[in-house]
Amino acid sequence: MPKGLPGTRQSTRPANTKTTRKRTIPPIDNHIGKKLRQLYASILEEPVPDRFLDLINSFDGPSGPEPSGDAS
């Protein structure tokens, strides 16, 4: 039995027989990717709505009333 952590399996294949395979992208994936980029390209060029900009800017503002110097 190979040495290792109890309750774990280890590969019985010698390290020199492991091969790495280069992943190829099927033509259909390329086609789908091109079509999706064409579909959404115009959306990327649209301006950000004012209400989203206002929301983003509100995150940068104060998070509540500022503490005053009075300790009365």
Side-chain angles (χ1 to χ4, degrees):
M1 181 166 209
K3 291 183 179 181
L5 296 174
T8 61
R9 289 183 152 176
Q10 291 189 353
S11 175
T12 56
R13 181 190 295 182
N16 62 352
T17 61
K18 292 182 181 179
T19 60
T20 57
R21 293 183 185 157
K22 186 177 180 181
R23 183 175 180 269
T24 58
I25 299 174
I28 190 70
D29 288 352
N30 281 332
H31 178 72
I32 292 171
K34 285 179 185 177
K35 291 297 182 181
L36 285 171
R37 282 188 289 278
Q38 288 174 353
L39 177 67
Y40 289 108
S42 64
I43 294 171
L44 291 174
E45 296 171 6
E46 290 181 10
V48 177
D50 289 337
R51 63 184 184 162
F52 288 165
L53 292 174
D54 292 341
L55 179 63
I56 292 169
N57 290 331
S58 73
F59 294 136
D60 293 334
S63 59
E66 292 192 24
S68 63
D70 284 331
S72 44

